[in-house]
Each structure stands twice: as C-alpha cells, then as structure tokens.
Amino acid sequence: MRKVLEPRSGLRAASLLVWTATLCLVLAAGRRPLMAAEPPVSDPRAATDPTVALAAPEHAPAPAAAEHHGLSRDAVEITRVLGLPITNSMIVSWVVAVGLIVFAHAATRDMQQVPSGAQNFLEWMVAALYGLLEGIIGAHLVKKTFWFFATIFLFILAANWVGLIPGVGTIGWGQQGPHGFQIDQPLFRGANADLNLTLAMATIFFACWIVWALQEVGIGGMAHELFGAKGETAGVLKLLMILIFFAAGCLEVISILFRPVSLSFRLYGNIFAGENMLETMATLVPGYGWLLPIPFYFMELLVGFVQALVFMLLTAVFTLLICQHEEEAPAAAHAR
C-alpha cells in the first residue's frame, strides 16, 4: 500500500531555514565590506597640482576598479544591525527562507482530501523526496532525519535558482569604468556563492550527524564502527587486523572532521564559478551581453538542481554509514 505522507511535514522542514540563516549571520560577523579603493597618489604634489600626475602617468598605480575582474570572493556588507553585519548574500538567503515558509504555509492552510494547486505540488514534492531517501537510508532512519534532508535540498535548490534571477548581482552601487558602469557593491548576491552560508549548513549537518549517531548506536557503537575490527579472525591475524582497523579508524576520523569543509567548498565553488561564468559571458562581446549567457543559464539551472541533490545525498549517505546496524544493513539497502 502506498504510504500517505502528511504535507505539514514540509512546513516543519521549512521552519529550519530560519535557523540556517541565523547561523549564517553569526558566522558572518566581523567581515568587512568590499569597498572600491581609491587609487593611491605616488607624489604628494599631485593632490594640488594636476600637472604632476600627468607628467609621470607610468608611475601611477591602476585604479582598483580596473584591476577587478569578475565577482568578489566575499559577500559585500550592506549595513549593520546591532553591530552584526548584514551582507548581500544574507539578504537573498532570508528572502528564499521566507518565501519557502510562506509557500508551505499557504499550501497547507486549507487542507483538502483531494489536493490541488499548491497543496498538490507540495505533497508530490515531499512524497518524492521521502521515497528517494527511504530507498537510500531505510524506513527507520528516514523518519528521524527527513526534516533535515528535505530542508537542505529545498533551500539549496531555491537559493541556487533565485541567484539566477536577473538583477541579482547587477543592482547596487558602483562607478563609471572604462567599459561602462561597473557594480562594486551589488545589493543582492547568490546565497550559496557565500562560503559563510555553505559552511553554516555543513556545520548544522555535522552537529545533527553526531546527535543521530549517538541516538542510534551510542558512543560504543561509534567507536566500534570507526576502530573495531571486522570479520572473523583468530590468533596473530586477529591482532594484525585490530592494528589495521585502528589505523584505518584514525584516518576515518580525519575524513569525518574534514566533511564540513568539503561539503561547503563543493557547493560554494560550483555556484561561485557559475556566477563568474555568466558575468564573463555577459561582458565577453560588447553589444551581445544579453544573448551569450542564455545557453549557460539553462546549464546553471541544471547545476543548481544537481548541487542541491548532491549535498542532500552525501549527507544522507554519511548518516547511514555511521547509524546503520550491521544486522540491519541488508534490509536498509533493499528498502523501497
């Protein structure tokens, strides 16, 4: 019999987005805004005598705007609230989070036995994600972790696609450059093009991963999974296997500690590279900036979906590897 999911689980999953954005704000504290630097003056007399600057132009450094190519690696600070910086990527992440929460609330506000419209779309989306995750991590584990994995997938996907909307990265403050007006401080920036947000999501997963592992197998089970010798051996061979598995466990601990870094840099690198590619295509041939990026927009739509799916699946597999019981592993692998 086909399992019927409660659509309100989508609303509960979307509520975590507020905490993700809040953690992003905390991790971003202390960052300085990216400002267009004024070109330094090589000769103090140039400030009052223009002929000095014209006499030796080869010694004058190039303006900062002329040296800047592509998007900046860091998000731009727009303002401060209670001493905490608000960046352009944080604004987009909050817009996406609020949009998902409002959509989930509107879709589940008036539940119908025969769903239609937004309710039907939300139920289909939740059921599809639930079925996918259940086939990977099993029915028992998906009940405990679905709220997180669904939230991560929906938020990353929405943030990636919102970052492709015209105006994101092209509306803001700037100055006139040799190739026209250049935006130095965009008002909006792709949410996942900021390493602070991707690191925040990876850190939240790492904390949840520890809690889920302790709940499922306990400290002893985690130690056995990491360092315990597997297989049936005896004598000297057993002692050798213990030493080998202990060394492998030490390497696994290092790998686990680097998972948040790899997860955050993988997502950030792909999205940031995509935005730089779109900007390059828009300025590559003067007069055709509206035409060249069009094929790459379709590619970035696919990349945005793939990166959201990869982030969700990697976190789900990492959870399964530490939380599964040996006797339940075959059942979880064949669950549908």
Side-chain angles (χ1 to χ4, degrees):
M1 180 179 296
R2 182 179 178 86
K3 181 179 292 184
V4 179
L5 300 179
E6 183 184 1
R8 291 189 182 274
S9 60
L11 177 60
R12 293 194 298 267
S15 63
L16 183 66
L17 303 176
V18 176
W19 296 103
T20 304
T22 303
L23 183 57
C24 172
L25 186 149
V26 174
L27 292 179
R31 300 186 68 85
R32 294 180 297 177
L34 180 65
M35 302 294 292
E38 293 293 334
V41 180
S42 57
D43 195 323
R45 296 173 298 170
T48 56
D49 189 357
T51 59
V52 176
L54 295 175
E58 64 276 8
H59 298 293
E67 296 177 354
H68 175 70
H69 299 283
L71 298 176
S72 63
R73 291 176 300 174
D74 301 326
V76 176
E77 181 180 323
I78 302 301
T79 184
R80 284 180 174 263
V81 176
L82 300 178
L84 295 176
I86 305 299
T87 64
N88 49 5
S89 64
M90 293 168 63
I91 295 176
V92 174
S93 66
W94 290 339
V95 170
V96 172
V98 172
L100 289 175
I101 294 174
V102 170
F103 170 75
H105 177 71
T108 57
R109 180 176 53 185
D110 185 17
M111 303 291 292
Q112 302 293 332
Q113 291 294 334
V114 180
S116 62
Q119 178 187 345
N120 186 38
F121 177 74
L122 181 61
E123 287 192 21
W124 167 79
M125 185 166 49
V126 172
L129 288 175
Y130 195 97
L132 174 64
L133 290 170
E134 186 178 17
I136 296 174
I137 62 179
H140 168 70
L141 200 56
V142 74
K143 294 178 181 179
K144 178 178 296 185
T145 61
F146 176 72
W147 62 273
F148 175 80
F149 296 135
T151 298
I152 284 295
F153 174 79
L154 295 177
F155 177 77
I156 294 177
L157 178 63
N160 291 345
W161 285 356
V162 167
L164 298 176
I165 296 177
V168 177
T170 58
I171 297 178
W173 299 270
Q175 58 185 352
Q176 192 68 29
H179 302 289
F181 190 82
Q182 299 177 349
I183 300 295
D184 295 326
Q185 293 181 289
L187 181 60
F188 304 106
R189 177 191 176 102
N192 292 318
D194 183 7
L195 188 58
N196 291 291
L197 179 58
T198 60
L199 182 59
M201 292 187 293
T203 303
I204 292 176
F205 162 71
F206 189 70
C208 292
W209 180 86
I210 294 176
V211 173
W212 294 332
L214 292 177
Q215 290 177 345
E216 289 295 315
V217 298
I219 298 179
M222 292 181 63
H224 180 267
E225 182 66 27
L226 294 174
F227 304 102
K230 281 75 174 179
E232 297 294 335
T233 55
V236 179
L237 182 59
K238 182 177 183 179
L239 179 61
L240 179 61
M241 294 299 293
I242 291 176
L243 294 177
I244 292 176
F245 276 98
F246 179 80
C250 295
L251 295 178
E252 182 66 17
V253 170
I254 297 176
S255 173
I256 291 173
L257 294 177
F258 273 94
R259 283 176 184 174
V261 179
S262 62
L263 286 171
S264 57
F265 272 93
R266 180 185 291 106
L267 178 59
Y268 162 75
N270 281 277
I271 303 304
F272 179 70
E275 291 193 355
N276 272 281
M277 180 185 63
L278 291 177
E279 182 178 354
T280 301
M281 292 298 104
T283 58
L284 186 62
V285 180
Y288 291 92
W290 58 274
L291 180 61
L292 291 181
I294 291 179
F296 297 94
Y297 263 99
F298 289 100
M299 186 183 72
E300 286 303 309
L301 287 173
L302 178 61
V303 170
F305 172 78
V306 170
Q307 289 304 314
L309 188 64
V310 167
F311 196 100
M312 181 190 71
L313 292 180
L314 283 177
T315 52
V317 171
F318 290 156
T319 303
L320 174 65
L321 291 177
I322 195 64
C323 291
Q324 68 180 356
H325 302 277
E326 291 185 1
E327 63 274 10
E328 297 177 357
H334 293 85
R336 291 291 183 270

